[in-house]
Amino acid sequence: MTSPATGTTTADPPGPSTGPAPGPRPLQRRAQRRRRLFAYGTLAPTLLVVAVLMAYPLYVALDLSLRGGQISDLLDLSGNPYTLGNYAEVLSSSGLLADVVRSVVYTLGVVVPAFAIGLGLALLLNRAFPGRRIIRPLVLLPWAVPGVVVAAAFSWMLDSSYGVVNYLLRTVGLIDENVAWLADSRTALAAVIVPTVWKYYPFFTLILLAQLQSIPAELYEAARVDGASPVRQFRHITWPAIAGASTLAVVITAIGVFREFDFIFPLTGGGPNEATQTLAVRIYTEAFQYFEMGTATALGIVTMAICGFFLLAGGRSIRREFS
Amino acid sequence: MSATALSGGRRWSLLALAVVVTGVLMFPVYWMIMTSLVPSNDLLVAEPPLVPPADSATTEAWTGVIDDQPVGRWLWNSTVTTLGAAIISTAVSTLGGYSLSRFRTAGQQAMGFTLLFSRMLPGTLLIIPLFVLFAGLGMVNNLWSVTLVNIAATVPFTTWLMKGFVDSVPAELEQSAMIDGCGRLRALWYVVVPLLKPGIAATFVYASILTWGDFLFARTLMGDPQGWTVTVGIATFIGEFSIDWSGLMAIGLMSTVPMVLLFIVLEPFLSRGMTAGAVKG
């Protein structure tokens, strides 16, 4: 964080000795109390949202995940004894590893190309050329398209009989006959990755472009005078300036993609043959198609743990960006 | 802008490159528009036309969808939940971001971490207990429940976003206002908030795009078709046996227009905004 705040009390008239009302102690204490009241008062709405809509549900989910037996009444779990059975079932199920692998493949498959496209576009749009003002909002546009609409558009483009993708690939000779992209378990995962990349790359463009614009032009001029090649300029000027932002954007996006649901479910529902069943999709199917709430919540907690594990494994650079 | 001066030839070749890249990236949007304007029997062929045939292009798909489907209702429901979630999220995260930025006591630090942790909760996990909670309160099939869940989904990120923006406003500004006799709340409202406009725009756009595009929460909490948002309505089209592709693309475009307008209006703020917040935060 590059906050100017280094101490604990930035916005306040500094400490007791130079306070606005250097007087008897009760006054100071009152100022202190009002300060604290304000600090927590402004935080209260956030606290309320997190407590009611995050912490309490998390508690309910944990409780549910620890209940055994057939859950008949979600509002009264007293008949369901505590057990680790759901976790045992989830962790020992043969499909778990495959779900994790699919989630990781999906996440990497989305984040890596989305970042590459986002960075390339940001570098391009940072140059002065005619028409840039029109191009910029255009390339950022996919961000504004709802995920379900993206899914609809791609399910039409990837249609096995009349899809334009098959037609174009046939025309240029890459395929001989139509491929059922979404219905073939060999191509289905790739076919849900492409729309997700399309939706996510603008976020990278937006963040990296803003970051690039904050690099002083003099740095490049000096480098050019010294005869630095564009590659060296990128390595020594551009990349250091955007590395921090890139890490953060990649992590934020990766967490989002890891639990993405809005593309996969409408496109394939997790099929065919579970080829696109990521952890997020499986939690949903367990809960709302099989009504196995205990299994679903246990799986959700496991997913969170996996997410946390990846974050920690991501190392110090990530933690430094966040704290 | 830090863009450097380039010779004429380079500039035009950059433009050419940009046009090609944009052409490829925008193809899905083009194909949606094209599909919505071409009658189905021209589309469902092995070699679909790449440009709308001038003599048969029609707006029938657009009018047809409006006549056959409660599109207006869906769009209205989306608008209500999106406005509600975006306004409340922006207000909550402005206050929260201010608190996180200006006060560094244990409470603020704990909240900062809690918010990061909240982002790791999978939506599909969160929705199960929330479904139970809202069912218990009799709030299933209520647009408020969809709005509230979307607020919860946006606030962890937008609060960090806003914290970054508040960080970039020098604390001395409020201090001098307060020394001049201004209360803390007045200083926040009259001194800090005006300087946070890019951040407020970024937060509002982010929350709007997320809520407008939400499918999971709206689908789970809204069984009643009267309360469907436009994404839930659209999803019912996909996977049908005989999909009306023209109609589906027409309604898809209709559902995108409000977000595009919002985006165009606020985009100038955004590229500044996102860095200050997401990235430094």
Side-chain angles (χ1 to χ4, degrees), chain B:
Chain B
M1 307 279 143
S2 69
T4 42
L6 295 167
S7 63
R10 287 280 305 274
R11 293 176 60 212
W12 290 108
S13 54
L14 279 176
L15 174 62
L17 176 65
V19 168
V20 172
V21 171
T22 311
V24 173
L25 290 175
M26 287 304 102
F27 184 77
V29 175
Y30 169 75
W31 200 245
M32 288 176 76
I33 297 171
M34 143 75 210
T35 303
S36 74
L37 295 175
V38 173
S40 294
N41 43 345
D42 288 0
L43 282 174
L44 300 178
V45 292
E47 301 188 356
L50 289 178
V51 287
D55 49 336
S56 66
T58 162
T59 53
E60 252 170 48
W62 291 70
T63 49
V65 162
I66 293 170
D67 290 342
D68 297 346
Q69 306 284 344
V71 179
R73 177 95 226 159
W74 294 344
L75 287 170
W76 172 249
N77 291 332
S78 285
T79 308
V80 171
T81 48
T82 301
L83 272 182
I87 291 172
I88 297 173
S89 290
T90 308
V92 167
S93 54
T94 305
L95 290 172
Y98 181 82
S99 187
L100 287 190
S101 170
R102 293 298 196 241
F103 307 100
R104 293 291 183 82
T105 57
Q108 274 68 20
Q109 279 190 341
M111 181 53 85
F113 277 109
T114 309
L115 288 173
L116 280 180
F117 175 73
S118 303
R119 260 194 80 80
M120 284 167 33
L121 292 174
T124 41
L125 171 67
L126 198 60
I127 193 64
I128 300 169
L130 285 171
F131 181 78
V132 176
L133 175 70
F134 287 128
L137 294 172
M139 277 180 70
V140 167
N141 287 332
N142 178 330
L143 282 178
W144 265 109
S145 58
V146 182
T147 309
L148 285 171
V149 180
N150 277 294
I151 293 169
T154 43
V155 155
F157 180 66
T158 52
T159 304
W160 274 91
L161 195 69
M162 284 307 298
K163 177 191 174 296
F165 286 108
V166 181
D167 280 346
S168 65
V169 175
E172 290 77 27
L173 288 177
E174 299 131 79
Q175 284 167 13
S176 54
M178 273 154 53
I179 287 168
D180 290 346
C182 191
R184 232 178 248 281
L185 202 59
R186 283 172 62 90
L188 172 61
W189 181 251
Y190 288 106
V191 179
V192 183
V193 166
L195 293 169
L196 288 178
K197 272 182 196 154
I200 289 172
T203 301
F204 192 84
V205 169
Y206 182 85
S208 300
I209 286 180
L210 211 82
T211 309
W212 186 271
D214 162 57
F215 166 65
L216 172 64
F217 300 141
R219 178 193 150 97
T220 316
L221 295 172
M222 265 297 162
D224 175 11
Q226 277 293 306
W228 279 358
T229 58
V230 70
T231 50
V232 181
I234 287 172
T236 58
F237 279 47
I238 317 177
E240 280 179 11
F241 283 108
S242 60
I243 305 174
D244 167 19
W245 289 111
S246 301
L248 178 54
M249 293 304 118
I251 187 174
L253 288 165
M254 275 182 237
S255 76
T256 303
V257 168
M259 285 305 103
V260 171
L261 290 180
L262 182 76
F263 195 68
I264 289 172
V265 172
L266 296 178
E267 196 262 340
F269 290 110
L270 278 185
S271 22
R272 276 176 61 205
M274 279 300 189
T275 339
V279 169
K280 287 182 190 151

Side-chain angles (χ1 to χ4, degrees), chain A residues 19-176:
Chain A
R25 291 188 57 197
L27 254 178
Q28 281 171 29
R29 216 177 294 144
R30 221 173 71 196
Q32 272 289 330
R33 205 180 309 133
R34 283 182 54 184
R35 190 182 102 76
R36 198 171 308 141
L37 198 70
F38 197 76
Y40 284 99
T42 44
L43 198 61
T46 315
L47 189 70
L48 190 74
V49 169
V50 170
V52 176
L53 293 165
M54 291 275 182
Y56 176 73
L58 185 62
Y59 161 75
V60 174
L62 268 171
D63 189 34
L64 263 172
S65 74
L66 290 168
R67 297 287 185 164
Q70 191 59 43
I71 293 168
S72 53
D73 183 1
L74 282 167
L75 297 175
D76 179 20
L77 296 173
S78 52
N80 298 90
Y82 280 109
T83 162
L84 288 173
N86 291 319
Y87 287 93
E89 191 192 321
V90 165
L91 292 173
S92 68
S93 72
S94 55
L96 180 70
L97 189 64
D99 293 338
V100 175
V101 170
R102 273 190 293 265
S103 304
V104 172
V105 170
Y106 178 71
T107 305
L108 289 177
V110 170
V111 172
V112 174
F115 179 75
I117 298 173
L119 177 61
L121 274 176
L123 289 171
L124 177 65
L125 292 172
N126 195 38
R127 315 295 287 270
F129 60 84
R132 186 173 64 148
R133 281 180 188 287
I134 301 167
I135 302 266
R136 195 169 78 174
L138 265 183
V139 295
L140 297 177
L141 197 140
W143 196 44
V145 183
V148 170
V149 176
V150 177
F154 277 83
S155 79
W156 163 228
M157 288 172 39
L158 294 168
D159 185 75
S160 58
S161 314
Y162 308 112
V164 69
V165 171
N166 276 325
Y167 170 54
L168 290 176
L169 290 177
R170 257 185 2 245
T171 310
V172 297
L174 279 174
I175 52 172
D176 296 326

Side-chain angles (χ1 to χ4, degrees), chain A residues 78-305:
Chain A
S78 52
N80 298 90
Y82 280 109
T83 162
L84 288 173
N86 291 319
Y87 287 93
E89 191 192 321
V90 165
L91 292 173
S92 68
S93 72
S94 55
L96 180 70
L97 189 64
D99 293 338
V100 175
V101 170
R102 273 190 293 265
S103 304
V104 172
V105 170
Y106 178 71
T107 305
L108 289 177
V110 170
V111 172
V112 174
F115 179 75
I117 298 173
L119 177 61
L121 274 176
L123 289 171
L124 177 65
L125 292 172
N126 195 38
R127 315 295 287 270
F129 60 84
R132 186 173 64 148
R133 281 180 188 287
I134 301 167
I135 302 266
R136 195 169 78 174
L138 265 183
V139 295
L140 297 177
L141 197 140
W143 196 44
V145 183
V148 170
V149 176
V150 177
F154 277 83
S155 79
W156 163 228
M157 288 172 39
L158 294 168
D159 185 75
S160 58
S161 314
Y162 308 112
V164 69
V165 171
N166 276 325
Y167 170 54
L168 290 176
L169 290 177
R170 257 185 2 245
T171 310
V172 297
L174 279 174
I175 52 172
D176 296 326
E177 53 188 44
N178 284 353
V179 178
W181 299 102
L182 288 160
D184 185 326
S185 54
R186 285 165 306 175
T187 54
L189 194 55
V192 294
I193 284 175
V194 172
T196 323
V197 170
W198 192 72
K199 165 86 178 174
Y200 275 99
Y201 81 81
F203 184 70
F204 289 113
T205 309
L206 208 56
I207 282 178
L208 295 175
L209 185 60
Q211 204 70 1
L212 287 174
Q213 290 183 344
S214 66
I215 304 175
E218 297 83 55
L219 284 180
Y220 290 103
E221 275 154 35
R224 252 195 306 276
V225 170
D226 292 344
S229 68
V231 176
R232 282 183 67 93
Q233 288 179 31
F234 180 83
R235 264 189 54 197
H236 294 286
I237 302 172
T238 314
W239 184 247
I242 61 172
S246 301
T247 312
L248 205 66
V250 164
V251 171
I252 287 178
T253 310
I255 296 175
V257 174
F258 193 74
R259 40 175 219 187
E260 186 60 70
F261 175 81
D262 289 5
F263 296 89
I264 305 178
F265 195 78
L267 274 172
T268 63
N273 284 326
E274 303 186 351
T276 56
Q277 181 181 271
T278 59
L279 289 165
V281 172
R282 190 167 147 213
I283 296 169
Y284 189 85
T285 0
E286 293 278 359
F288 294 100
Q289 278 176 11
Y290 305 132
F291 294 98
E292 292 286 350
M293 295 293 176
T295 319
T297 45
L299 194 63
I301 305 286
V302 169
T303 303
M304 239 169 60

